[in-house]
Amino acid sequence: MPTEQQTTDVDDSLRVIALEVADDLAELARVRAWAGRLLQDLPEVQRADALLVVDELTSNALRHGKPPRQVRLLRKRDWLSVEVDDTCVDPACPRPAAVDGGHGLKLVNAMSVSWGQWQRPTGKTVWAEIDLSRAAG
């Protein structure tokens, strides 16, 4: 079962919330519900885009990464960053689209203003930034 951690505000405008994710694809529904609650104030189109990014990054970590895994939402008024950690050292990279997948990082790219990853000797963090100041739709 995932656990949620909330950090204290780094400053008056940044909120960071983290969720530990168990090694089970069924966790995707729980992660979506968690993120949905935290982002419920967004216009529906922005919320749907943000949840798609959360879902794709988490799904990739569950399918291709190694535990432990953590999802973080870093939010300011007009900006959201989604970060997903896992302990697989292989870089995340788009793969050719096929019936069984290969669309995830392309969707993340389309829904975010930027995305990338930080490599560590013990794993990686894949992240995406979403501009919440743009008009929904």
Side-chain angles (χ1 to χ4, degrees), residues 13-14 41-42 46 75-80 132-133:
S13 63
L14 179 65
D41 64 306
L42 294 178
Q46 284 184 332
R75 183 155 177 208
K76 293 182 180 181
R77 185 174 43 131
D78 292 332
W79 174 86
L80 172 70
L132 300 177
S133 68

Side-chain angles (χ1 to χ4, degrees), residues 40-71:
Q40 65 187 346
D41 64 306
L42 294 178
E44 186 56 37
V45 172
Q46 284 184 332
R47 185 172 179 253
D49 289 352
L51 290 175
L52 181 101
V53 170
V54 169
D55 188 69
E56 290 299 334
L57 293 183
T58 305
S59 166
N60 282 350
L62 284 165
R63 286 184 171 91
H64 308 293
K66 296 178 183 174
R69 297 175 185 91
Q70 183 183 74
V71 178

Side-chain angles (χ1 to χ4, degrees), residues 94-114:
R95 61 185 175 101
V99 174
D100 66 340
H103 305 279
L105 291 177
K106 292 176 184 107
L107 289 170
V108 168
N109 187 58
M111 299 299 152
S112 61
V113 292
S114 63

Side-chain angles (χ1 to χ4, degrees), residues 5 20-21 23 48 59 71 115 117 130:
Q5 300 172 344
E20 302 296 323
V21 181
D23 192 24
S59 166
V71 178
W115 75 275
Q117 57 197 298
I130 300 169

Side-chain angles (χ1 to χ4, degrees), residues 112-133:
S112 61
V113 292
S114 63
W115 75 275
Q117 57 197 298
W118 299 302
Q119 297 294 134
R120 300 179 307 278
T122 58
K124 66 184 167 299
T125 300
V126 182
W127 56 268
E129 293 183 351
I130 300 169
D131 180 358
L132 300 177
S133 68

